[in-house]
Amino acid sequence: MAKHIICCLVLAHKNLSQIERLCLRLNHDDIRVIVHLDKKMSVRRSDINRLEHMPNVNIHPTRHSCFL
């Protein structure tokens, strides 16, 4: 039987600590989280590293300016 994986795309515009808490809650073997950090968002490399070292979390490699 095939294993099902849930993928979540998170568009982050501010409050990186909230994004970090969300990623911790979504931590599961069957869940993959992709985080897009908006280009307008000021973020330190150390904060990005904290997210990157979380299991099942990937940071989108290019940052784009998004409008919702």
Side-chain angles (χ1 to χ4, degrees):
M1 179 177 237
K3 183 176 179 179
H4 295 282
I5 302 289
I6 298 171
C7 294
C8 301
L9 174 62
V10 177
L11 303 175
H13 299 278
K14 61 181 179 177
N15 201 348
L16 200 58
S17 62
Q18 192 174 43
I19 301 302
E20 187 175 1
R21 288 194 312 270
L22 175 64
C23 290
L24 284 172
R25 299 276 187 218
L26 292 172
N27 183 22
H28 189 275
D29 290 340
D30 297 336
I31 297 177
R32 302 294 178 264
V33 180
I34 301 167
V35 179
H36 173 264
L37 300 171
D38 193 276
K39 194 171 188 176
K40 295 181 294 287
M41 179 181 183
S42 64
V43 60
R44 295 184 307 250
R45 185 67 208 165
S46 60
D47 295 330
I48 295 173
N49 287 342
R50 264 199 339 262
L51 283 174
E52 286 178 329
H53 286 95
M54 292 179 139
N56 304 333
V57 174
N58 293 327
I59 306 296
H60 193 276
T62 55
R63 294 176 66 185
H64 298 281
S65 184
C66 299
F67 298 94
L68 296 177

